[in-house]
Amino acid sequence: MSTSSPSSASLPSAQPLPQSHSYDDAQPPQHTEEEEQSRLLNTPPPQNCCNYYVASFFLACVAAGLICTWQLLPAEDLAKTYLPKFDAPENPYTGPEAGMVGGEGYGNGTMGGGSGGMTDDLFGNVDMTTSTENEAPGTVVPSFMTCPSSSDNNQQCCNGSPANCPLPLDEMMFGMVHNAMSSEEGDFIIGYNHYYGLEKALVAGYRGINLDVCSCGGVLQFCHNVCDLGERMPNEVFTNTLQFLNDYPSEVLVLLFEASSEQGPISWSDLYSEMANVDGFTDLLYVHTEGQAWPTMGELVSSNKRIIVFFFNGGSCDNDVCPSEFHPWFTYAAETQFESASLNDLQDYEYSCQVTRGPGSTSDEKTQQASFLVVNNFVTPPDPDAAAVANSKDFLANRLAECANLSGKRPNFVYLDFWSEGVTAELVQYANAQYAEELSSGQ
């Protein structure tokens, strides 16, 4: 592109500006007071084009335009138009090669001594430096989640450790990945809860997966209340989950589904059908009878019923009969405050450890009647910097201890954002090993 100036011949000839008038010398016309009043009274008012009929027509056109925009171009599409899009990532889980068999740590029973209960020193002096500190998150099974060598056929292993097998499900602790479908890696555009996908969270040692269920154009998806700004398809998620469980037959998962409050209606029967479309998935679903004792981890592994499904926040079932494998969450679980805006809120234990949802009417009834205590350990909106602190050993250990002491119940689920930050998975595994050791020693 030339940078030279265009020829002056191509420019229009300069036109002289009109001369300005001098008002200093101009003399206004002279009128008597009677003449001026008569002129003002007889001058008609200026005409206004915006009369009643014109204004009504204009408003009708604006209303019609808004209705057409709403019908033909929904707000979600408007947002999608102006937000950046990213290429969808490849499936992050690649099967057994994502992990290592063997290894040192809690998985083979070499756990540290317990502190004797829910105290401020809940996790003792355990070193939270894992063997995968130089690996990308979720690409290698950490040492604390590796079972002993399969050559020892006499030793059962459950969720990465033989020590977990005698524990009933309602005495286990799980790291629960909050809004697990919502990740930067999974092409969620705004407000994602994690950097990496849920498949990598499984490899990294998390055994609780929370998913929001949406109906987008009549199609079930896992999204975060807004269609087309990020979604995971059930068939893909269930296929990858089944592959993980087939590759690691010692592992037990808890799947928690939340019906979207904005993208419904949600049919749990339809979600079950999605599971049934993945050959072998529903064979692993456990069915619990209310009022009976929960099985031990070892019993779940031995019977190969290694997926426990819960649901909440509404939804419906065919003929009002839900699949027997789907269990209502707040029939069995009591949950702490879930609306914390900052780390200070989380550290305000009187507030953040208060049980707000559960099977009873009062906070005490919810805790006493529940099988599980859920501790929410995230801030809203999702904040990776806050998560790095909340998921650290000292912060989380203190929080679990405080919530346990205030509620009188041992936590079972730790809800978290940005699972790749901090040490939640390892700390949970250590807590289970410590608790199992206390039970075996009669403490």
Side-chain angles (χ1 to χ4, degrees):
M1 178 177 177
S2 174
T3 60
S4 61
S5 301
S7 170
S8 60
S10 63
L11 296 175
S13 58
Q15 299 294 324
L17 293 174
Q19 285 189 338
S20 61
H21 296 282
S22 174
Y23 294 98
D24 294 336
D25 300 330
Q27 299 296 322
Q30 302 296 315
H31 299 285
T32 66
E33 183 176 349
E34 290 79 5
E35 290 175 332
E36 182 68 15
Q37 289 179 352
S38 176
R39 184 182 68 80
L40 293 174
L41 291 172
N42 294 324
T43 302
Q47 295 296 313
N48 189 344
C49 68
C50 189
N51 57 29
Y52 172 80
Y53 299 103
V54 173
S56 298
F57 178 74
F58 175 78
L59 291 175
C61 290
V62 171
L66 290 174
I67 293 173
C68 291
T69 302
W70 173 58
Q71 291 291 335
L72 300 177
L73 190 60
E76 292 171 9
D77 290 338
L78 285 170
K80 184 172 61 175
T81 302
Y82 294 102
L83 289 172
K85 290 290 289 181
F86 304 94
D87 293 333
E90 295 181 358
N91 184 351
Y93 178 63
T94 56
E97 61 268 32
M100 300 183 300
V101 178
E104 302 295 331
Y106 307 117
N108 57 20
T110 58
M111 58 237 184
S115 62
M118 286 293 179
T119 67
D120 291 337
D121 192 29
L122 177 61
F123 300 99
N125 296 316
V126 60
D127 181 7
M128 290 296 167
T129 303
T130 72
S131 61
T132 60
E133 59 182 353
N134 295 322
E135 304 287 347
T139 58
V140 175
V141 174
S143 61
F144 59 84
M145 290 301 296
T146 56
C147 290
S149 172
S150 58
S151 61
D152 186 0
N153 295 323
N154 295 323
Q155 190 173 34
Q156 188 182 38
C157 185
C158 305
N159 281 22
S161 173
N164 292 330
C165 295
L167 295 179
L169 184 71
D170 57 342
E171 295 184 30
M172 276 285 292
M173 190 181 294
F174 295 82
M176 176 71 77
V177 182
H178 176 231
N179 292 339
M181 71 285 163
S182 174
S183 70
E184 181 183 33
E185 183 180 56
D187 200 23
F188 276 68
I189 296 176
I190 54 175
Y192 49 79
N193 296 80
H194 306 280
Y195 289 130
Y196 304 100
L198 63 90
E199 290 87 349
K200 289 184 177 179
L202 293 175
V203 174
Y206 292 93
R207 297 295 177 260
I209 300 293
N210 162 235
L211 296 161
D212 285 6
V213 185
C214 303
S215 178
C216 298
V219 177
L220 283 186
Q221 300 177 2
F222 298 132
C223 82
H224 195 30
N225 282 332
V226 180
C227 299
D228 299 323
L229 294 184
E231 68 280 327
R232 293 293 306 272
M233 301 308 295
N235 186 272
E236 178 192 34
V237 170
F238 295 150
T239 297
N240 293 345
T241 301
L242 179 64
Q243 181 182 350
F244 175 84
L245 289 172
N246 287 339
D247 292 335
Y248 299 97
S250 62
E251 304 307 289
V252 175
L253 301 184
V254 175
L255 300 182
L256 174 59
F257 298 104
E258 176 180 358
S260 171
S261 58
E262 299 180 24
Q263 301 295 339
I266 304 302
S267 168
W268 299 119
S269 301
D270 290 348
L271 186 63
Y272 180 85
S273 296
E274 291 282 355
M275 295 177 177
N277 288 335
V278 178
D279 188 30
F281 191 93
T282 57
D283 294 338
L284 272 63
L285 299 182
Y286 167 76
V287 178
H288 185 71
T289 301
E290 188 174 356
Q292 291 189 356
W294 289 92
T296 66
M297 295 292 289
E299 290 169 342
L300 291 168
V301 171
S302 296
S303 63
N304 203 27
K305 297 297 182 181
R306 295 183 289 124
I307 303 175
I308 299 90
V309 173
F310 295 97
F311 68 97
F312 73 104
N313 205 38
S316 63
C317 301
D318 291 349
N319 300 317
D320 294 326
V321 179
C322 291
S324 58
E325 297 88 347
F326 280 45
H327 308 96
W329 182 233
F330 288 118
T331 297
Y332 299 101
E335 184 180 281
T336 65
Q337 176 63 248
F338 64 92
E339 293 181 327
S340 294
S342 66
L343 292 171
N344 287 337
D345 283 352
L346 291 178
Q347 289 183 301
D348 181 358
Y349 302 123
E350 292 290 338
Y351 166 78
S352 68
C353 292
Q354 180 184 12
V355 173
T356 58
R357 296 193 286 187
S361 56
T362 67
S363 179
D364 288 341
E365 287 179 356
K366 290 177 173 64
T367 305
Q368 293 167 4
Q369 297 177 20
S371 299
F372 308 102
L373 176 63
V374 184
V375 174
N376 289 310
N377 194 49
F378 57 87
V379 302
T380 303
D383 182 345
D385 293 331
V389 176
N391 300 343
S392 67
K393 177 199 168 186
D394 291 341
F395 189 101
L396 181 54
N398 290 336
R399 178 159 169 71
L400 291 176
E402 291 290 343
C403 289
N405 289 330
L406 287 170
S407 67
K409 191 175 184 65
R410 183 175 185 268
N412 300 100
F413 293 95
V414 183
Y415 255 122
L416 76 154
D417 282 343
F418 294 96
W419 60 260
S420 57
E421 300 293 314
V423 296
T424 301
E426 185 172 7
L427 190 138
V428 164
Q429 185 75 323
Y430 182 83
N432 287 327
Q434 181 191 60
Y435 184 67
E437 185 173 285
E438 292 172 359
L439 292 180
S440 65
S441 63
Q443 296 184 19

